[in-house]
Amino acid sequence: MLNQDISRRRFLKQSAVVTAGSFLLPSFLKANPLSLNNGKRLVVIQLSGGNDGLNTIIPYRNEILESVRPGLFLGREKVLQLNDEIGVNPAMEGLNKIYDQGDVCILNSVGYPNPNRSHFRSMDIWHTASDSDEYVSSGWLGRYLDNECTDEDNITGIEMGNILSMSMKGEKRKGVPLTNINQFYNSSRMINTPEAKDHANEMVDFLYKSQADIKSSAKYLYEKNKIYKSSKTYPNNSFGKELKEVAEMIISGVEAPIYYVSLSGFDTHNNQRGRQDRLLKIYSEALSVFADDLKQNDRWNDTLVMTFSEFGRRVKQNASNGTDHGKANNLLLMGGSLKKNGIYNEMPDLSNLDDGDVSHSIDFRNVYATIIDRWLESDSTSILGRSFSNLQFI
């Protein structure tokens, strides 16, 4: 018993240098990874805080919006025009470039019935694909991993950061939080793996094998990631660096079907213009380089990027030159295989609001179902718990 405790303490001490959750990397991230069923991947980008959709995709001729947002409204002379009625925030030149190439689909008024204005609760609803009065302990992407993974396959997803979001946690399997491949590899080298042999004590045997798995997984990612190092100039910020690492993993052939990246700070209750413009510029610039990187390496047509936020903002600005928590919002899709690009559906009717908010006309789970069924080629009914009709963007 004493030897077992010593071995366990030694294992925990050595494993502490590895990012929390990283040692759970499955066997597909070791030698001889398996290919995806269809070679496609989904990149999810979460804009945390409730991005103001009406100041992102802007109906720049709308007189109602102009009248209720005297300090925020962006008119025709300021927006980047998409058509005679709609433009994008002027900070989003990168997105405008991707749009002009026919690789963006904008879905308006996306949300769910009986919406919740709490950041935490609404994000939980989006992560779990639940009803607003339903509490679910697993995420929609995690359930996709549950549905598609077998003991032989062990495919999974990668989330940039040291905390795994609820969306990536299944009942049996979950994604991998990853901050930096080089750091993970260097940390794993500090673990002294004993000589491989069978041990009479199952716990000690498990600990030794876990140590070996850490080193094996880290070495695979490290070696795989050396295959391609991007020469593109990504923005020198955390979001840009994370998208660069995702691009390098995709182009290097790391066989993950799901990648997840977050950009926070969109809770713009005051002085919204400067804060949101800065964040949208960070997002847009990084996405533009990311798209170019994947296009030049023949990966763009096999990649679908979905950007969402937990809710939009109220239509009327508040007294602090900001906007408060709202309801429905726009959702952006990007990729080289979109069947429908441009503006997917009508902009919200601002003359018919729901208690001062945009009402949803598209349930976000219809978006999820479409991605699961048509892009990931899985079964949305079993993953989402019931049937949601598919949309026509892929």
Side-chain angles (χ1 to χ4, degrees), residues 246-287:
V246 170
E248 290 175 343
M249 283 189 280
I250 290 172
I251 297 166
S252 293
V254 173
E255 295 288 352
I258 310 292
Y259 293 88
Y260 203 101
V261 187
S262 297
L263 179 61
S264 61
F266 287 92
D267 195 15
T268 51
H269 289 280
N270 53 68
N271 300 318
Q272 176 174 300
R273 281 288 302 276
R275 293 175 56 198
Q276 190 194 25
D277 288 358
R278 177 180 59 83
L279 290 168
L280 291 179
K281 183 176 181 180
I282 289 171
Y283 164 80
S284 179
E285 287 181 345
L287 256 296

Short mmCIF file of all heavy atoms in Angstrom, two decimals, residues 246-287:
data_model
loop_
_atom_site.label_atom_id
_atom_site.label_comp_id
_atom_site.label_asym_id
_atom_site.label_seq_id
_atom_site.Cartn_x
_atom_site.Cartn_y
_atom_site.Cartn_z
N VAL A 246 -4.36 26.49 -34.80
CA VAL A 246 -5.39 25.63 -35.39
C VAL A 246 -5.09 25.37 -36.86
O VAL A 246 -5.18 24.24 -37.35
CB VAL A 246 -6.79 26.25 -35.21
CG1 VAL A 246 -7.83 25.50 -36.03
CG2 VAL A 246 -7.20 26.26 -33.74
N ALA A 247 -4.74 26.43 -37.60
CA ALA A 247 -4.41 26.27 -39.01
C ALA A 247 -3.24 25.31 -39.20
O ALA A 247 -3.27 24.45 -40.09
CB ALA A 247 -4.09 27.63 -39.63
N GLU A 248 -2.23 25.45 -38.37
CA GLU A 248 -1.07 24.57 -38.49
C GLU A 248 -1.42 23.13 -38.20
O GLU A 248 -0.90 22.21 -38.86
CB GLU A 248 0.05 25.07 -37.57
CG GLU A 248 0.67 26.39 -38.05
CD GLU A 248 1.70 26.96 -37.09
OE1 GLU A 248 1.73 26.53 -35.92
OE2 GLU A 248 2.46 27.83 -37.52
N MET A 249 -2.29 22.90 -37.22
CA MET A 249 -2.72 21.53 -36.94
C MET A 249 -3.52 20.95 -38.10
O MET A 249 -3.31 19.81 -38.51
CB MET A 249 -3.53 21.49 -35.64
CG MET A 249 -2.69 21.59 -34.38
SD MET A 249 -3.62 21.28 -32.85
CE MET A 249 -4.41 22.88 -32.60
N ILE A 250 -4.43 21.75 -38.64
CA ILE A 250 -5.26 21.28 -39.76
C ILE A 250 -4.38 20.94 -40.97
O ILE A 250 -4.49 19.87 -41.57
CB ILE A 250 -6.31 22.33 -40.13
CG1 ILE A 250 -7.38 22.44 -39.04
CG2 ILE A 250 -6.97 21.99 -41.47
CD1 ILE A 250 -8.36 23.58 -39.25
N ILE A 251 -3.50 21.86 -41.32
CA ILE A 251 -2.67 21.69 -42.52
C ILE A 251 -1.63 20.59 -42.31
O ILE A 251 -1.26 19.88 -43.26
CB ILE A 251 -2.02 23.03 -42.91
CG1 ILE A 251 -3.13 24.04 -43.29
CG2 ILE A 251 -1.05 22.86 -44.07
CD1 ILE A 251 -2.65 25.48 -43.37
N SER A 252 -1.19 20.40 -41.07
CA SER A 252 -0.22 19.34 -40.77
C SER A 252 -0.85 17.96 -40.76
O SER A 252 -0.15 16.95 -40.77
CB SER A 252 0.45 19.61 -39.42
OG SER A 252 1.26 20.76 -39.46
N GLY A 253 -2.17 17.90 -40.73
CA GLY A 253 -2.84 16.61 -40.78
C GLY A 253 -3.28 16.04 -39.45
O GLY A 253 -3.57 14.84 -39.36
N VAL A 254 -3.33 16.86 -38.40
CA VAL A 254 -3.89 16.39 -37.13
C VAL A 254 -5.37 16.09 -37.36
O VAL A 254 -6.14 16.96 -37.75
CB VAL A 254 -3.71 17.44 -36.02
CG1 VAL A 254 -4.43 17.00 -34.76
CG2 VAL A 254 -2.22 17.65 -35.74
N GLU A 255 -5.76 14.85 -37.12
CA GLU A 255 -7.08 14.39 -37.54
C GLU A 255 -8.15 14.63 -36.48
O GLU A 255 -8.76 13.69 -35.96
CB GLU A 255 -7.02 12.91 -37.92
CG GLU A 255 -6.16 12.63 -39.13
CD GLU A 255 -6.79 13.10 -40.43
OE1 GLU A 255 -7.96 13.51 -40.40
OE2 GLU A 255 -6.11 13.08 -41.46
N ALA A 256 -8.40 15.87 -36.16
CA ALA A 256 -9.48 16.23 -35.24
C ALA A 256 -10.64 16.77 -36.06
O ALA A 256 -10.45 17.65 -36.89
CB ALA A 256 -9.01 17.27 -34.24
N PRO A 257 -11.86 16.30 -35.83
CA PRO A 257 -13.00 16.81 -36.58
C PRO A 257 -13.53 18.15 -36.06
O PRO A 257 -14.24 18.85 -36.77
CB PRO A 257 -14.06 15.72 -36.41
CG PRO A 257 -13.72 15.10 -35.09
CD PRO A 257 -12.23 15.17 -34.97
N ILE A 258 -13.18 18.49 -34.80
CA ILE A 258 -13.69 19.70 -34.18
C ILE A 258 -12.55 20.52 -33.60
O ILE A 258 -11.69 19.99 -32.90
CB ILE A 258 -14.68 19.39 -33.03
CG1 ILE A 258 -15.76 18.38 -33.47
CG2 ILE A 258 -15.30 20.67 -32.49
CD1 ILE A 258 -16.73 18.92 -34.48
N TYR A 259 -12.57 21.83 -33.88
CA TYR A 259 -11.68 22.79 -33.21
C TYR A 259 -12.55 23.89 -32.63
O TYR A 259 -13.55 24.29 -33.25
CB TYR A 259 -10.67 23.38 -34.19
CG TYR A 259 -9.66 22.39 -34.73
CD1 TYR A 259 -9.94 21.64 -35.86
CD2 TYR A 259 -8.43 22.20 -34.09
CE1 TYR A 259 -9.03 20.72 -36.35
CE2 TYR A 259 -7.51 21.29 -34.58
CZ TYR A 259 -7.81 20.55 -35.71
OH TYR A 259 -6.91 19.65 -36.19
N TYR A 260 -12.17 24.40 -31.47
CA TYR A 260 -13.01 25.37 -30.76
C TYR A 260 -12.12 26.50 -30.25
O TYR A 260 -11.11 26.26 -29.58
CB TYR A 260 -13.71 24.68 -29.59
CG TYR A 260 -14.97 25.33 -29.09
CD1 TYR A 260 -16.21 24.83 -29.45
CD2 TYR A 260 -14.92 26.43 -28.24
CE1 TYR A 260 -17.39 25.42 -28.98
CE2 TYR A 260 -16.08 27.03 -27.77
CZ TYR A 260 -17.32 26.52 -28.14
OH TYR A 260 -18.46 27.11 -27.68
N VAL A 261 -12.50 27.75 -30.57
CA VAL A 261 -11.73 28.92 -30.18
C VAL A 261 -12.69 29.98 -29.65
O VAL A 261 -13.80 30.12 -30.18
CB VAL A 261 -10.93 29.49 -31.37
CG1 VAL A 261 -10.00 30.61 -30.91
CG2 VAL A 261 -10.13 28.41 -32.09
N SER A 262 -12.29 30.72 -28.63
CA SER A 262 -13.15 31.74 -28.04
C SER A 262 -12.48 33.10 -28.06
O SER A 262 -11.26 33.21 -27.94
CB SER A 262 -13.52 31.38 -26.59
OG SER A 262 -14.26 30.19 -26.53
N LEU A 263 -13.30 34.13 -28.20
CA LEU A 263 -12.87 35.53 -28.08
C LEU A 263 -13.86 36.21 -27.15
O LEU A 263 -15.06 36.24 -27.42
CB LEU A 263 -12.85 36.21 -29.45
CG LEU A 263 -12.44 37.68 -29.49
CD1 LEU A 263 -11.02 37.88 -28.97
CD2 LEU A 263 -12.58 38.25 -30.90
N SER A 264 -13.38 36.74 -26.04
CA SER A 264 -14.27 37.31 -25.03
C SER A 264 -14.20 38.83 -25.00
O SER A 264 -13.34 39.44 -25.65
CB SER A 264 -13.91 36.75 -23.65
OG SER A 264 -12.59 37.09 -23.30
N GLY A 265 -15.12 39.44 -24.23
CA GLY A 265 -15.11 40.88 -24.03
C GLY A 265 -16.27 41.62 -24.65
O GLY A 265 -16.29 42.85 -24.67
N PHE A 266 -17.28 40.90 -25.14
CA PHE A 266 -18.36 41.54 -25.90
C PHE A 266 -19.53 42.02 -25.05
O PHE A 266 -20.58 42.35 -25.59
CB PHE A 266 -18.87 40.56 -26.97
CG PHE A 266 -17.93 40.39 -28.12
CD1 PHE A 266 -16.98 39.38 -28.12
CD2 PHE A 266 -17.97 41.25 -29.21
CE1 PHE A 266 -16.10 39.22 -29.17
CE2 PHE A 266 -17.11 41.10 -30.27
CZ PHE A 266 -16.15 40.08 -30.25
N ASP A 267 -19.36 42.09 -23.74
CA ASP A 267 -20.43 42.57 -22.87
C ASP A 267 -20.36 44.09 -22.80
O ASP A 267 -19.88 44.68 -21.83
CB ASP A 267 -20.29 41.94 -21.48
CG ASP A 267 -21.55 42.11 -20.66
OD1 ASP A 267 -22.61 42.43 -21.22
OD2 ASP A 267 -21.48 41.90 -19.43
N THR A 268 -20.89 44.75 -23.82
CA THR A 268 -20.65 46.19 -24.06
C THR A 268 -21.80 47.03 -23.51
O THR A 268 -22.56 47.64 -24.27
CB THR A 268 -20.46 46.45 -25.55
OG1 THR A 268 -21.55 45.83 -26.29
CG2 THR A 268 -19.16 45.84 -26.03
N HIS A 269 -21.91 47.11 -22.19
CA HIS A 269 -22.95 47.94 -21.58
C HIS A 269 -22.63 49.43 -21.66
O HIS A 269 -23.51 50.27 -21.53
CB HIS A 269 -23.14 47.56 -20.10
CG HIS A 269 -23.80 46.24 -19.91
ND1 HIS A 269 -25.16 46.06 -20.02
CD2 HIS A 269 -23.28 45.02 -19.62
CE1 HIS A 269 -25.46 44.79 -19.79
NE2 HIS A 269 -24.33 44.14 -19.54
N ASN A 270 -21.37 49.77 -21.83
CA ASN A 270 -21.00 51.19 -21.91
C ASN A 270 -19.87 51.38 -22.92
O ASN A 270 -19.07 50.48 -23.17
CB ASN A 270 -20.58 51.72 -20.53
CG ASN A 270 -19.50 50.89 -19.89
OD1 ASN A 270 -18.36 50.86 -20.35
ND2 ASN A 270 -19.84 50.19 -18.82
N ASN A 271 -19.85 52.57 -23.51
CA ASN A 271 -18.81 52.93 -24.48
C ASN A 271 -18.55 51.80 -25.48
O ASN A 271 -17.43 51.36 -25.69
CB ASN A 271 -17.51 53.29 -23.75
CG ASN A 271 -17.69 54.46 -22.80
OD1 ASN A 271 -18.36 55.44 -23.13
ND2 ASN A 271 -17.12 54.36 -21.61
N GLN A 272 -19.63 51.39 -26.10
CA GLN A 272 -19.57 50.19 -26.94
C GLN A 272 -18.72 50.37 -28.20
O GLN A 272 -17.99 49.44 -28.57
CB GLN A 272 -20.99 49.78 -27.35
CG GLN A 272 -21.02 48.59 -28.31
CD GLN A 272 -22.42 48.12 -28.59
OE1 GLN A 272 -23.14 47.71 -27.69
NE2 GLN A 272 -22.83 48.17 -29.86
N ARG A 273 -18.80 51.50 -28.85
CA ARG A 273 -18.20 51.64 -30.17
C ARG A 273 -16.72 51.25 -30.17
O ARG A 273 -16.28 50.42 -30.98
CB ARG A 273 -18.37 53.08 -30.68
CG ARG A 273 -19.75 53.40 -31.24
CD ARG A 273 -19.96 52.73 -32.59
NE ARG A 273 -18.94 53.13 -33.55
CZ ARG A 273 -18.99 54.24 -34.29
NH1 ARG A 273 -20.03 55.05 -34.16
NH2 ARG A 273 -18.03 54.51 -35.15
N GLY A 274 -15.94 51.82 -29.30
CA GLY A 274 -14.51 51.55 -29.30
C GLY A 274 -14.20 50.11 -28.95
O GLY A 274 -13.36 49.46 -29.58
N ARG A 275 -14.89 49.58 -27.94
CA ARG A 275 -14.61 48.21 -27.48
C ARG A 275 -15.01 47.19 -28.52
O ARG A 275 -14.25 46.27 -28.83
CB ARG A 275 -15.35 47.94 -26.17
CG ARG A 275 -14.84 48.75 -24.98
CD ARG A 275 -15.70 48.53 -23.76
NE ARG A 275 -15.78 47.11 -23.40
CZ ARG A 275 -16.71 46.60 -22.61
NH1 ARG A 275 -17.65 47.38 -22.11
NH2 ARG A 275 -16.70 45.31 -22.31
N GLN A 276 -16.21 47.33 -29.04
CA GLN A 276 -16.66 46.33 -30.01
C GLN A 276 -15.85 46.41 -31.30
O GLN A 276 -15.49 45.38 -31.88
CB GLN A 276 -18.15 46.49 -30.31
CG GLN A 276 -18.69 45.30 -31.13
CD GLN A 276 -20.04 45.56 -31.75
OE1 GLN A 276 -20.41 46.72 -31.99
NE2 GLN A 276 -20.78 44.50 -32.01
N ASP A 277 -15.57 47.63 -31.75
CA ASP A 277 -14.77 47.77 -32.97
C ASP A 277 -13.42 47.08 -32.82
O ASP A 277 -12.94 46.42 -33.75
CB ASP A 277 -14.57 49.24 -33.31
CG ASP A 277 -15.83 49.92 -33.82
OD1 ASP A 277 -16.86 49.22 -33.96
OD2 ASP A 277 -15.79 51.13 -34.09
N ARG A 278 -12.80 47.26 -31.67
CA ARG A 278 -11.49 46.64 -31.45
C ARG A 278 -11.59 45.12 -31.51
O ARG A 278 -10.76 44.45 -32.14
CB ARG A 278 -10.93 47.07 -30.09
CG ARG A 278 -9.60 46.44 -29.73
CD ARG A 278 -9.10 46.90 -28.37
NE ARG A 278 -10.04 46.59 -27.30
CZ ARG A 278 -10.11 45.40 -26.70
NH1 ARG A 278 -9.29 44.42 -27.08
NH2 ARG A 278 -10.98 45.18 -25.73
N LEU A 279 -12.61 44.55 -30.86
CA LEU A 279 -12.77 43.10 -30.86
C LEU A 279 -13.14 42.56 -32.23
O LEU A 279 -12.63 41.50 -32.65
CB LEU A 279 -13.84 42.70 -29.83
CG LEU A 279 -13.46 42.90 -28.37
CD1 LEU A 279 -14.69 42.75 -27.47
CD2 LEU A 279 -12.38 41.90 -27.95
N LEU A 280 -14.01 43.26 -32.94
CA LEU A 280 -14.39 42.81 -34.28
C LEU A 280 -13.21 42.87 -35.25
O LEU A 280 -13.09 42.04 -36.15
CB LEU A 280 -15.56 43.64 -34.82
CG LEU A 280 -16.91 43.43 -34.10
CD1 LEU A 280 -17.97 44.33 -34.72
CD2 LEU A 280 -17.35 41.96 -34.16
N LYS A 281 -12.34 43.84 -35.04
CA LYS A 281 -11.13 43.92 -35.87
C LYS A 281 -10.21 42.73 -35.58
O LYS A 281 -9.67 42.12 -36.51
CB LYS A 281 -10.40 45.23 -35.62
CG LYS A 281 -9.18 45.42 -36.51
CD LYS A 281 -8.53 46.79 -36.28
CE LYS A 281 -7.34 46.96 -37.21
NZ LYS A 281 -6.69 48.29 -37.03
N ILE A 282 -10.02 42.40 -34.30
CA ILE A 282 -9.21 41.24 -33.93
C ILE A 282 -9.77 39.98 -34.57
O ILE A 282 -9.04 39.18 -35.19
CB ILE A 282 -9.17 41.10 -32.40
CG1 ILE A 282 -8.32 42.21 -31.78
CG2 ILE A 282 -8.62 39.72 -31.99
CD1 ILE A 282 -8.40 42.27 -30.26
N TYR A 283 -11.08 39.79 -34.44
CA TYR A 283 -11.75 38.62 -35.00
C TYR A 283 -11.60 38.58 -36.52
O TYR A 283 -11.19 37.56 -37.10
CB TYR A 283 -13.23 38.67 -34.60
CG TYR A 283 -14.13 37.76 -35.39
CD1 TYR A 283 -14.23 36.41 -35.09
CD2 TYR A 283 -14.91 38.27 -36.43
CE1 TYR A 283 -15.07 35.57 -35.82
CE2 TYR A 283 -15.75 37.46 -37.16
CZ TYR A 283 -15.82 36.11 -36.86
OH TYR A 283 -16.65 35.28 -37.58
N SER A 284 -11.90 39.68 -37.17
CA SER A 284 -11.95 39.74 -38.62
C SER A 284 -10.57 39.57 -39.25
O SER A 284 -10.40 38.84 -40.23
CB SER A 284 -12.58 41.07 -39.04
OG SER A 284 -12.63 41.19 -40.44
N GLU A 285 -9.58 40.25 -38.70
CA GLU A 285 -8.23 40.15 -39.25
C GLU A 285 -7.69 38.73 -39.15
O GLU A 285 -7.09 38.21 -40.10
CB GLU A 285 -7.29 41.12 -38.53
CG GLU A 285 -7.51 42.58 -38.90
CD GLU A 285 -6.55 43.52 -38.18
OE1 GLU A 285 -5.90 43.09 -37.19
OE2 GLU A 285 -6.44 44.68 -38.62
N ALA A 286 -7.89 38.10 -38.00
CA ALA A 286 -7.39 36.74 -37.82
C ALA A 286 -8.09 35.76 -38.74
O ALA A 286 -7.45 34.86 -39.33
CB ALA A 286 -7.55 36.31 -36.36
N LEU A 287 -9.42 35.91 -38.91
CA LEU A 287 -10.16 35.01 -39.79
C LEU A 287 -9.72 35.16 -41.24
O LEU A 287 -9.66 34.17 -41.98
CB LEU A 287 -11.66 35.29 -39.67
CG LEU A 287 -12.49 34.29 -38.86
CD1 LEU A 287 -12.49 32.93 -39.51
CD2 LEU A 287 -11.98 34.18 -37.44
#
